[in-house]
Amino acid sequence: MRPLRDLPGDHLARFATSRWLGPLERVCLPHHVIDLSPSDLALICAHAAGERPAGRFSGALREDLAAALAELPQGAHLRLEGCSLRARGQVPCLLTPDDGLAALSQPNGRVAACQRLLAPYLPDQSLHLFAWADIPPWSEFRVLVAGGRLLGITQYHLDRGWPEVAAAAARIEAALMRAAKVLIKQVPESDFAADLFLDSHFVPRLIEINPLGRNTGLGLFAARDFDGGFRYVTPIVAPARRDEDDYWQL
């Protein structure tokens, strides 16, 4: 594998949500897309940068948020073309249009930095609302791919070993390996990091696709330690294994 490098804005633009969402729609949570007007996008960028713009978001954006959220009664998490609205490790759950507009009005250095990089290459952008899912920490994993080859699959949260993973390690590995094959075939870029979680039926669901770069978290791998395998932290005591059944099917 070539050394991981910092990524320019044009490369990040190739990972815009709209690009990977299309070919991978069937393995994502239910979602809605809202096209942003130039004025609404400018307001989002200004708020993210910590400014206090005088303008207000358009009535059309409020109406689009209301229509989308009406079809996602459990709530939604909101993603821009380059990143989610995560701040301090938390992603807001949106239940009303006011929730959405409030979230878009908050200072967010991560969003601001992403928008500065994307702006020259992606002048037209959309909002993406995904059905809200409560994701247990044990159920989240990262798939690392370079040159169209699987580098490895790692537990995402590294602070402990999870009994749920140890109890069904073979089942989880098989499901994630099957998912990785689909991702390698369908993601438009050959180098990427994909975050997934397992639903209550142990079916992988895609959270997001990001570039593979110097700042990418490699989980339980090191940059020269890839073996194409599945890694997780073994807990001190693991419960009995669960029965296995079929996995990710497209």
Side-chain angles (χ1 to χ4, degrees):
M1 176 186 172
R2 59 185 175 276
L4 299 178
R5 301 182 183 281
D6 293 328
L7 300 168
D10 60 338
H11 189 91
L12 294 177
R14 298 206 300 270
F15 284 84
T17 306
S18 296
R19 284 209 71 206
W20 55 258
L21 183 58
L24 294 166
E25 183 173 8
R26 293 172 63 189
V27 297
C28 294
L29 291 166
H31 57 274
H32 290 270
V33 180
I34 297 174
D35 293 330
L36 286 170
S37 69
S39 60
D40 284 331
L41 177 58
L43 278 175
I44 292 171
C45 294
H47 283 298
E51 301 172 12
R52 295 185 177 181
R56 295 185 177 183
F57 289 113
S58 68
L61 177 57
R62 176 181 287 275
E63 292 172 3
D64 288 342
L65 285 169
L69 290 167
E71 298 191 29
L72 301 171
Q74 70 274 49
H77 78 266
L78 185 59
R79 183 174 176 83
L80 304 173
E81 290 292 4
C83 63
S84 69
L85 291 180
R86 184 171 72 246
R88 297 180 293 279
Q90 300 297 316
V91 177
C93 178
L94 312 181
L95 295 171
T96 68
D98 284 339
D99 291 341
L101 296 177
L104 293 169
S105 300
Q106 299 301 311
N108 189 313
R110 183 166 170 267
V111 170
C114 184
Q115 287 298 323
R116 281 195 297 271
L117 289 169
L118 287 179
Y121 308 98
L122 205 66
D124 298 321
Q125 298 190 32
S126 300
L127 295 179
H128 303 268
L129 281 76
F130 291 86
W132 183 261
D134 291 316
I135 303 176
W138 71 264
S139 71
E140 195 168 352
F141 302 90
R142 174 162 286 178
V143 175
L144 302 164
V145 173
R149 179 176 65 87
L150 178 64
L151 300 177
I153 302 172
T154 175
Q155 176 180 320
Y156 186 86
H157 297 282
L158 309 176
D159 56 330
R160 56 173 286 193
W162 302 97
E164 295 89 344
V165 177
R171 178 182 188 181
I172 291 171
E173 180 175 3
L176 293 173
M177 287 293 179
R178 171 170 267 171
K181 291 180 180 178
V182 173
L183 294 170
I184 289 170
K185 182 178 180 181
Q186 298 291 341
V187 173
E189 300 293 324
S190 61
D191 296 11
F192 61 87
D195 293 338
L196 306 96
F197 76 97
L198 300 177
D199 68 14
S200 59
H201 302 288
F202 279 62
V203 175
R205 295 288 185 180
L206 181 63
I207 300 172
E208 62 183 8
I209 302 287
N210 287 302
L212 184 66
R214 182 176 294 169
N215 294 325
T216 303
L218 303 180
L220 295 170
F221 292 94
R224 299 182 181 275
D225 189 29
F226 297 115
D227 59 8
F230 170 53
R231 294 188 182 181
Y232 63 96
V233 177
T234 304
I236 296 175
V237 177
R241 298 172 67 86
R242 303 185 186 188
D243 292 336
E244 296 184 14
D245 51 28
D246 291 336
Y247 314 120
W248 227 28
Q249 300 273 2
L250 288 182

